Structures are given as C-alpha cells and as structure tokens.
Amino acid sequence: MDYKSIKKFTMKILNSLKTLTTGNKKLPQTASGLALATHPQSGTDAASHIEIGAGSNAHSSVGSAAKPARMETRGLTVMYGKATGVHNISIPIHTRKVTALIGPSGCGKTTFLRALNRMHDLTRIARVTGEVLLDGKNIYDSDINPVLIRRRIGMVFQKPTPFPTMSIFDNVVAGLKLVGIRNRSILNEACEKALRQAALFDEVKDRLGDAAVSLSGGQQQRLSIARALAVEPEVLLMDEPTSSLDPQATNRIEELIHSLKKEVTIVIITHNMQQAARVSDYTAFFYMGKLVEMGKTKSLFTNPRQKKTEEYITGRFG
Amino acid sequence: MMRLQSQVKSTSILYRWLGDRIFTVVVVLLGASIILITAGMAWVLFDEGGLALREFGFFGFLSGTTWDPAVQLQFGAWPFLFGTLVTSGLALLISIFPAIAVGIFSAEYAPKWLSSLIDNLVQLIAAVPSVVIGIWGIFVLAPWMRETVYMPIYLWAETSAPGLIPILGHPIGYGMTTATIVLSLMIVPYTAALSKDAIESVPKEQREASRALGATRWEVIRMAVLPYARSGILAGTVLSLGRAIGETMAVAMLIGNKNTLPFSIFGAGATMPSVIVNEFREAVESLHLSSLMAIGFVLFIIALIVNLLAAWIIRKYSISGGKVV
C-alpha cells in the first residue's frame, strides 16, 4: 500500500458517503463526485464541461449552459438574534441576467445576498426563514448539503481574498482541487478558461507559479472572480466587487460582468448608481431591510414607481 | 469655545518643557535597563564560567563526555546537552499535534462557553508550579509508568531480546521517558494557546472565501486557516521548545539524575538545568562551580537562539493584509 492507493481508497469511501448524505443516487461516479459530461453546445476550447453534481434532480446531468438554474426567493427573512436583517423578500433572480441590489448602507443588501448561498450558516446568531428556490428546490431544506449549494452558487467579496500562501494557479484551481480533481491537464485547462473569463489570463500567463499576493489589487479581485468561476457556478454573487478598486480596474470588472452574463446568472451589490445602471438588467432597491421595488434597470432608473426609490437614485439620501 | 478656553489651566512653558524632558529620560532609562540587565546576565555567566571554558575550551566543554566533580575534576557538558536536546525535542514532537488540535478545537469547533472553559483550563495547567507537577510525577506518573509500561517491556526483553536491555535501561520509573512525558504535558498549554491565537487572527474573509468555493469545515481549516496561521503556530512551537529546554524542577525531580553517558530509554539521565539545580549547592571546587556557570551560559545562548528563531519565523512567514511579508 503506497500513499496514492491509500488516498484513492479514502476518496472512494468519502465519495460514497457524500453521495449518501446528499441523497443523489443518480450522480455518475467519477473520481470526485463530479460528472464529467461532454458539453452539448461547447465551443472548441472547452471540450469537456465540468459540471458540479448537486442534490437537485431537475438539474442532474445537463450542463449549466444548456439548462441554467432558475432562482427566486420567497418570503426570505434573516434575523440576527432579535434584530431583523431583511424582511420578507420575494424576488426572482433572472437567469443569465445581471441583477443589481442597491440601497443605503445597512439596508440589508449584503444580508440578502449572503442568504442566497447559505453563508449565514457560518454566523451562529443569524436565522433564515422563508425560501430560496434553486430550480424549484428550497436550498434551506434539510436534505440539502450547503457545501454543494455553494459550489453551484459562487461568491465574490468586497475585498480581494486570494489565499496568500498559494500561487496564482493554485488559487484559481483551489475549488476544483476541493472536489478532488487532480488531473493536471484538466486543471490547466480549467485555470486558463477561468482566467480568460476573468480577463486576467494575458497578464499572468507567464507567471502562474508566482504568489497570488504579488498581483495588484485589481488583478487580485479578478483572480478572486476567476477562482469563483473555475468551479463553473450557475449563479455568481458579487458583494461590491469594485469598491476597493481604482476606476480602471472597476471598468475591467464591469466589462467582465457584461461578458459573463452569457453563461452565468449574476447578482451584484453596488453603492454606485451609475454602475448599477451600466451593468445590470434588473435592479432591486432595498431600504431598511425591506424591498422597496424591483424592476428592469432602465425603467427603475428612468421611471421609479416608489417615491423612496426616486429619492435614493437622485441622491437625496443614502 | 471661549468658555472652554478659560477653563484650560495656564501651564508655564517651563513646566511643559521640563515635563517632556523628564518623561523622556525616565522612559529611556527604564527601557535601556532591560538591555543592560540582559547583557549583564550574559556577562556574569560568561565570566563566572570562564575558568571552565578556558580549561576545556568552549567546544571542548560542549563535547566533553565526562562529568566527574569528585575524582578527576573533569567537566564536559555533552551528557547534559544531549539529555536536554533529546527530552525537549521528543517532548515537542509528542505535544505538538495534540496541542494544535486543542487550539483548532477551541478556536473553530467548540461553542463559546466550552472554548473559554478550555482556555481557562489551559492557562491553569500553565500556571501549576512545576514542583507540583514534579510531585505528581514522583508519586503518580512514575510508579504507574514503571508498573504498567517499563516493567512488562523489561521483563519481556529479559527473556526474548536480551540485546535490548542496555538500550532500555533499568526500569526504576525515574528517567528519560518519564521526564519527556511530563515535559510534553507541561508545554502543551503554550503551544495550544499560541496556536489558538494564531488561528483566531485569521481574517473572516479568508474563511468565507474558501466556504464560498464549497469547502467543508475541515477544508476551510486546511485551505485557509492553517496556511494563514502557520507562522504563529510555528513560532508558538519554537517558544514552547524554549520552555521545555529551560524547564528545571519537574525534570530534575523525575529524570533520575545520572551524570554519565550512556543514557537509556527508561533509565536515568540529566539535563542542563537539572544538573545545575542538583549540584550547585555542593560545588566546592571552583572549577566545578565554574563549569555549572558555563552550562548556564550555554543555556542562555540556546534560549537566545530559540527566541531569535521564533522571531525569524514570524518575520519570514507571517501574512499581513493579504500580503506575504
């Protein structure tokens, strides 16, 4: 018994356990609980499409581009102890569109966003009620494994969060390594694809082995986006992704969002009205933990139905 | 504003100037005194140990294997250096993983009340005087080890593998193994507390970033927490090694105090602190006393090296603000 065979054996056991706990018996067994299926509509560069198997059976073996996840919230409420974070939010998250969440600080945008991929599970005092439906299935159901949900719904944070001890390459493929992909050529391919999607590849292609923290702030943020994209999520949540960046880097990220929405559903929080108007298709305005209104970005900005919305977007408060 | 101005006590320029000067002088003097005291300690140890160091040479003293204060008046520190390195090194090896596990459990898994309970107990263990731990070792651990571990192995070796007997040594209960086990218990609190601090100081963003990639709890620790905390954990480990090297009382009570090589696994041995505490009262020969002082000087240098090593590790591997410094 050498190290590798022991590892293989352990992975096998872990995988069967994983399948048991997620209740997904249909998942084809590969080295990692991942289904490697040929992509029906893929272009030339992506010969194999990596699809994260998850608990939902509506979405089991078809690639995300072929049948993207539908997402909506119903009566979503998050409480921090006795304080209400957001109250009774019911909105659709339009597939392969960009939905912007706007509102003054403390209005519950971030609280809402973090409820969409169960990040509140990590905060002991937060309690989530209501539903977040992904393909008709509530992600808060007891038979859902939050780890698998987070693989389908990725997240990018306000500050760049490269893992400081890892190289650029290792950062990008960190999520893939988590699900057990060790094949170097698959990793290389996925790394290049994600970096290209994040418009970072040309800048770092000759120094993938360098420390991730050697990059500039804007590059680090694009690296964080590439890392989130590498696991091929169906939905990408972005919490003020440009707030710590200069205008030029902001511009690049906005272009990136624009090109990404062809493949991924995006929900973005922004404090910048112009940015919301530029990048999003739909906008939801939050105020004091409640949804004031949501609509097509164009109509919300040109013809808001609520007075509060008008006051906010014209800069009278917030 | 005007009213506030009138409330300000008028202070003379002289008072302000003088106050500033006096404060500066006091602070500088007190700050400098710690340097002077440390340097003075090193000098006294070196000076007092000078007789022995001149007689045998610094490296001759370190590598000398004979310590005979009675007949030959020959002093070599190697048995004690060896005993110190082996017991401390092994104690570190035994304690490091359990201690880091305690740190991880307390910082990541335990609910708040349990975590603070653990922290308090860890501090309590660290606060128990080593002579008390020594007493416990003498009356509880050593007899228990002798009856349940040393004797059965010794009896087995006597019949089936007599070649092992010299390596195993006499199972009197007091010896290298007992001392190592007690040492490892004594340094667990230090490694655990320092590891926990290091783990807790890992930014929330790092944990969330790995969570958002679909990492499980253990994967978050492996991917984000431990790499980020590695410098703190390593430095804590090295500082614990320093504690183990300097630990005197409990070791002196349990190691059996044998001044001549070879040491054996179960049998008696000695360390540098233990030989100092055991012999300085009866050291009448000036060369003997000087040799003990020289051992103190060597200990001082080892402590210095250990601390510098810890500082270097923190500098080399620490991460601040997302950057590897």
Side-chain angles (χ1 to χ4, degrees):
Chain A
M1 284 287 261
D2 61 331
Y3 171 70
K4 262 194 181 153
S5 59
I6 293 173
K7 204 168 160 192
K8 222 182 209 169
F9 180 68
T10 327
M11 289 299 284
K12 227 182 215 168
I13 294 175
L14 282 178
N15 276 317
S16 41
L17 280 177
K18 224 182 251 174
T19 333
L20 278 178
T21 49
T22 55
N24 187 349
K25 306 238 158 47
K26 273 191 248 165
L27 193 67
Q29 286 296 296
T30 60
S32 58
L34 271 188
L36 291 171
T38 315
H39 198 297
Q41 298 169 339
S42 64
T44 44
D45 59 328
S48 69
H49 176 80
I50 301 156
E51 206 252 314
I52 313 296
S56 149
N57 35 12
H59 184 101
S60 57
S61 57
V62 199
S64 61
K67 191 165 186 293
R70 300 179 319 277
M71 195 170 184
E72 64 173 308
T73 69
R74 281 195 196 149
L76 187 69
T77 299
V78 182
M79 308 278 290
Y80 294 110
K82 286 213 162 76
T84 308
V86 288
H87 182 68
N88 197 19
I89 309 285
S90 303
I91 58 169
I93 310 290
H94 294 275
T95 303
R96 282 202 219 125
K97 298 281 188 241
V98 178
T99 304
L101 310 179
I102 60 169
S105 296
C107 69
K109 305 176 302 265
T110 300
T111 303
F112 176 76
L113 191 78
R114 291 164 65 89
L116 296 182
N117 70 341
R118 295 191 61 167
M119 288 301 273
H120 287 304
D121 290 13
L122 319 180
T123 322
R124 281 201 184 111
I125 98 168
R127 212 159 35 87
V128 181
T129 52
E131 295 182 318
V132 176
L133 299 174
L134 186 64
D135 285 328
K137 175 89 175 138
N138 184 9
I139 64 168
Y140 284 92
D141 279 354
S142 55
D143 61 334
I144 293 276
N145 182 350
V147 167
L148 297 180
I149 286 298
R150 294 192 199 107
R151 283 177 196 161
R152 295 177 67 189
I153 307 177
M155 194 165 199
V156 175
F157 299 87
Q158 205 166 337
K159 275 192 268 172
T161 50
F163 297 129
T165 56
M166 293 186 193
S167 68
I168 294 170
F169 179 84
D170 285 334
N171 259 283
V172 177
V173 301
L176 295 173
K177 281 189 173 169
L178 277 182
V179 292
I181 299 177
R182 289 284 182 276
N183 184 323
R184 192 75 192 178
S185 65
I186 293 180
L187 289 180
N188 282 336
E189 204 176 295
C191 175
E192 180 174 338
K193 187 179 170 213
L195 284 172
R196 278 194 197 285
Q197 279 182 305
L200 187 61
F201 186 71
D202 291 333
E203 289 162 58
V204 300
K205 63 182 172 196
D206 299 323
R207 50 188 188 117
L208 290 173
D210 285 10
V213 284
S214 66
L215 298 174
S216 72
Q219 289 174 323
Q220 285 188 16
Q221 188 64 316
R222 276 180 282 150
L223 179 70
S224 305
I225 294 173
R227 189 176 60 191
L229 290 172
V231 294
E232 306 205 345
E234 297 152 61
V235 182
L236 188 61
L237 311 175
M238 304 177 109
D239 187 355
E240 293 185 53
T242 60
S243 68
S244 61
L245 303 181
D246 62 52
Q248 204 181 353
T250 301
N251 204 11
R252 299 212 64 163
I253 304 250
E254 285 181 12
E255 282 168 15
L256 167 63
I257 291 170
H258 208 77
S259 62
L260 278 179
K261 73 175 179 186
K262 285 184 215 111
E263 292 162 60
V264 188
T265 301
I266 294 173
V267 184
I268 181 173
I269 291 178
T270 177
H271 268 295
N272 181 333
M273 292 309 118
Q274 285 81 29
Q275 183 171 67
R278 279 195 301 265
V279 302
S280 71
D281 303 296
Y282 294 87
T283 299
F285 172 56
F286 284 69
Y287 183 63
M288 308 267 285
K290 295 202 170 96
L291 178 75
V292 177
E293 72 171 289
M294 179 180 179
K296 287 215 157 140
T297 299
K298 218 176 229 169
S299 66
L300 187 127
F301 275 96
T302 53
N303 191 16
R305 279 167 303 186
Q306 303 286 333
K307 194 149 188 319
K308 263 274 164 293
T309 315
E310 189 187 338
E311 283 174 12
Y312 182 68
I313 59 181
T314 52
R316 249 172 281 169
F317 78 96
Chain B
M1 209 55 198
M2 286 306 290
R3 225 176 299 154
L4 197 66
Q5 283 290 336
S6 65
Q7 290 296 312
V8 174
K9 286 196 185 112
S10 59
T11 50
S12 71
I13 302 233
L14 181 69
Y15 170 83
R16 292 181 139 198
W17 181 84
L18 203 62
D20 206 28
R21 288 298 152 101
I22 290 172
F23 185 74
T24 307
V25 167
V26 168
V27 167
V28 166
L29 275 182
L30 290 177
S33 66
I34 196 75
I35 299 171
L36 290 176
I37 288 170
T38 315
M41 270 166 58
W43 171 251
V44 168
L45 288 171
F46 179 72
D47 190 45
E48 298 277 323
L51 186 62
L53 292 178
R54 271 193 302 279
E55 176 82 23
F56 307 110
F58 183 71
F59 292 102
F61 179 71
L62 282 186
S63 59
T65 53
T66 311
W67 181 273
D68 184 355
V71 187
Q72 309 169 45
L73 281 185
Q74 188 79 26
F75 298 99
W78 176 245
F80 314 114
L81 190 61
F82 173 78
T84 300
L85 293 180
V86 168
T87 50
S88 306
L90 287 179
L92 190 71
L93 274 185
I94 294 171
S95 67
I96 182 167
F97 291 108
I100 293 175
V102 169
I104 291 175
F105 178 73
S106 170
E108 297 282 324
Y109 287 84
K112 227 178 171 80
W113 63 270
L114 185 58
S115 165
S116 61
L117 181 71
I118 292 173
D119 292 355
N120 281 317
L121 288 179
V122 161
Q123 283 166 16
L124 190 68
I125 297 176
V128 173
S130 65
V131 67
V132 174
I133 294 181
I135 289 273
W136 171 78
I138 286 178
F139 288 110
V140 182
L141 182 72
W144 185 83
M145 288 296 286
R146 182 178 57 221
E147 297 309 320
T148 51
V149 183
Y150 304 159
M151 282 309 284
I153 294 179
Y154 188 80
L155 291 177
W156 166 83
E158 214 168 26
T159 51
S160 340
L164 284 178
I165 294 276
I167 304 169
L168 289 174
H170 292 292
I172 46 174
Y174 308 103
M176 298 283 276
T177 306
T178 312
T180 303
I181 290 169
V182 164
L183 258 186
S184 62
L185 281 177
M186 291 178 79
I187 61 175
V188 160
Y190 296 96
T191 319
L194 292 164
S195 304
K196 194 203 166 194
D197 286 349
I199 288 167
E200 277 188 334
S201 66
V202 175
K204 204 176 89 208
E205 289 85 4
Q206 287 284 319
R207 294 163 205 267
E208 290 189 339
S210 49
R211 280 276 181 170
L213 285 175
T216 61
R217 202 173 203 179
W218 143 243
E219 286 164 342
V220 170
I221 292 173
R222 195 193 61 194
M223 192 166 151
V225 175
L226 289 182
Y228 208 98
R230 64 183 181 182
S231 71
I233 293 174
L234 264 177
T237 311
V238 173
L239 290 176
S240 302
L241 179 67
R243 294 285 315 178
I245 289 171
E247 178 49 48
T248 308
M249 225 33 235
V251 173
M253 290 163 87
L254 290 170
I255 203 164
N257 301 306
K258 171 173 176 259
N259 289 352
T260 48
L261 286 173
F263 295 160
S264 50
I265 297 174
F266 301 150
T271 65
M272 293 194 284
S274 79
V275 74
I276 294 176
V277 78
N278 279 321
E279 293 193 1
F280 80 98
R281 280 160 305 183
E282 40 209 68
V284 280
E285 292 290 336
S286 56
L287 188 60
H288 188 191
L289 194 62
S290 172
S291 298
L292 291 174
M293 281 291 192
I295 286 184
F297 180 65
V298 174
L299 263 178
F300 187 91
I301 289 176
I302 291 177
L304 189 72
I305 291 172
V306 164
N307 278 297
L308 288 177
L309 187 65
W312 179 80
I313 286 172
I314 288 177
R315 261 239 310 272
K316 176 121 203 284
Y317 293 107
S318 74
I319 295 153
S320 71
K323 296 245 179 220
V324 178
V325 177

